[in-house]
């Protein structure tokens, strides 16, 4: 099932109203019980991105847990597709955002895109600190903190990526990632008020690997990160999700502290994404015959 380019059905209008209501309610709205995000990186061209978003919108429209707001669903496309992706996904109760933003809102910064512009284009999320940007572009704690502040300032939810370089102990991973979280949020809060943050725990050694980290390892690390994050000033509503070769079959094996998944190539097939949404709903006890973990 796919949505036409200019769908105006009653179902999409109803979903759009719900999405707008949740956005307008802001911090006072009921928080979602799970979060599923997808990054398209630079894999899709413009038209394929929009086709994918129409397929995802159809999945979202048909999924009660997305329509009720129990599951928060968002997609991060390549920037040129963001305005149309945000429109397509928005009428289905899902969100869109950018894979990166600059730390200033305007100025002589050739080639950069501000959080203000992302917000104007309909974006609701801004990914910051991904391992590829740290490795390829040399982004450090200072840069990531400034970008996190820019997201907060422009009412974008930062998707703050953290993760250790090499496999090790749970304690080492927690220590490394809490330092990353603190560096970003402390810098951001020195420049203005903080808002809700989605932390994506992505062990760098698992990104692009055939398999994710083990469920036991993921659960133990995120339990530690979740307790730390939500104890910080202004972060009571923030949550931690897992990324790093995540795909179907994983979410049901994870501890309740893991709020959801940040997906890459394993969700580039909308059918796989639908499976993951069903597994997430089952984990929450939202499908008939299931019970919450």
């Amino acid at each position: 099932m796919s949505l036409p380019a200019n769908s105006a059905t009653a179902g999409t209008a109803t979903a759009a109203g719900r999405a707008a209501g949740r956005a307008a309610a802001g911090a006072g709205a009921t928080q979602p019980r799970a979060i599923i995000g997808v990054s398209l990186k630079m894999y899709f061209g413009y038209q394929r991105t929009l086709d994918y978003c129409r397929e995802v919108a159809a999945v979202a429209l048909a999924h009660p847990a997305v329509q009720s707001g129990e599951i928060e669903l968002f997609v991060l496309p390549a920037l040129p597709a963001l305005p149309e992706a945000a429109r397509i996904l928005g009428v289905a109760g899902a969100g869109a955002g950018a894979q990166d933003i600059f730390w200033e809102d305007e100025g002589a910064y050739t080639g950069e895109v501000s959080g203000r512009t992302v917000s104007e284009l309909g974006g609701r999320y801004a990914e910051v600190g991904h391992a590829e940007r740290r490795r390829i572009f040399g982004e450090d704690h200072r840069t990531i903190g400034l970008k996190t502040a820019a997201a907060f300032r422009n009412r974008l939810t930062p998707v703050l990526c953290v993760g250790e370089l090499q496999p090790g102990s749970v304690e080492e991973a927690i220590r490394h990632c809490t330092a990353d979280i603190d560096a970003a949020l402390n810098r951001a809060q020195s420049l203005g008020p903080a808002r809700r943050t989605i932390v994506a725990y992505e062990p760098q050694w698992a990104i692009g690997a055939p398999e994710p980290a083990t469920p036991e390892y993921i659960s133990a690390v995120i339990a530690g990160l979740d307790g730390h994050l939500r104890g910080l000033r202004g972060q009571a509503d923030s949550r931690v999700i897992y990324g790093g070769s995540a795909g179907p079959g994983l979410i049901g094996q994870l501890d309740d502290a893991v709020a959801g998944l940040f997906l890459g190539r394993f969700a580039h097939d909308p059918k796989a994404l639908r499976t993951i949404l069903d597994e997430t709903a089952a984990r929450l006890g939202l499908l008939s015959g299931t019970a919450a973990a």
Side-chain angles (χ1 to χ4, degrees):
M1 177 182 181
S2 62
L3 293 182
N6 293 297
S7 176
T9 64
T12 57
T14 301
R18 282 194 290 267
R22 289 196 295 270
T30 301
Q31 292 297 316
R33 295 172 62 194
I35 304 165
I36 300 294
V38 183
S39 173
L40 299 182
K41 299 196 178 186
M42 206 176 71
Y43 286 118
F44 293 178
Y46 181 81
Q47 193 56 55
R48 188 179 177 193
T49 296
L50 299 188
D51 290 343
Y52 174 83
C53 288
R54 291 186 188 105
E55 294 290 339
V56 170
V59 170
L61 274 171
H63 208 286
V66 176
Q67 293 306 299
S68 69
E70 300 273 7
I71 296 178
E72 177 180 357
L73 174 64
F74 65 88
V75 176
L76 306 181
L79 190 67
L82 176 56
E84 188 65 5
R87 184 192 69 80
I88 293 168
L89 294 165
V91 297
Q99 297 174 24
D100 184 43
I101 57 172
F102 192 59
W103 59 77
E104 296 288 354
D105 292 341
E106 60 181 23
Y109 304 105
T110 301
E112 296 294 339
V113 178
S114 71
R116 178 185 295 171
T117 299
V118 168
S119 183
E120 289 176 353
L121 294 175
R124 291 165 42 196
Y125 303 84
E127 185 177 2
V128 292
H130 190 274
E132 290 156 4
R133 295 206 62 87
R134 294 175 191 258
R135 184 180 74 252
I136 298 169
F137 299 101
E139 294 193 358
D140 57 13
H141 285 330
R142 176 182 178 276
T143 300
I144 293 163
L146 290 171
K147 291 185 174 187
T148 302
F152 289 147
R153 187 169 63 246
N154 289 286
R155 304 193 65 79
L156 299 169
T157 298
V159 181
L160 173 61
C161 301
V162 301
E164 72 277 16
L165 291 170
Q166 301 294 335
S169 70
V170 167
E171 293 74 19
E172 288 169 336
I174 292 172
R175 187 160 53 247
H176 177 97
C177 294
T178 53
D180 282 353
I181 291 169
D182 289 350
L185 294 182
N186 287 343
R187 179 66 175 174
Q189 288 179 324
S190 74
L191 299 171
R195 302 175 69 242
R196 172 179 179 253
T197 305
I198 296 172
V199 169
Y201 168 57
E202 297 189 298
Q204 296 187 35
W205 50 270
I207 297 173
E211 300 289 337
T214 66
E216 295 78 14
Y217 183 87
I218 295 167
S219 295
V221 173
I222 289 186
L225 299 184
D226 181 72
H228 178 81
L229 174 66
R230 294 209 273 175
L232 298 176
R233 179 166 53 93
Q235 298 298 312
D237 292 330
S238 297
R239 299 302 305 273
V240 185
I241 60 179
Y242 174 77
S245 301
L250 179 61
I251 190 70
Q253 302 180 63
L254 301 178
D255 185 82
D256 288 350
V258 184
L261 299 175
F262 191 35
L263 303 158
R265 66 193 189 281
F266 291 120
H268 290 176
D269 178 353
K271 293 179 182 177
L273 179 59
R274 180 174 58 197
T275 296
I276 292 166
L277 290 171
D278 286 345
E279 292 170 349
T280 305
R283 179 181 184 239
L284 298 174
L286 299 175
L287 298 182
S288 60
T290 68

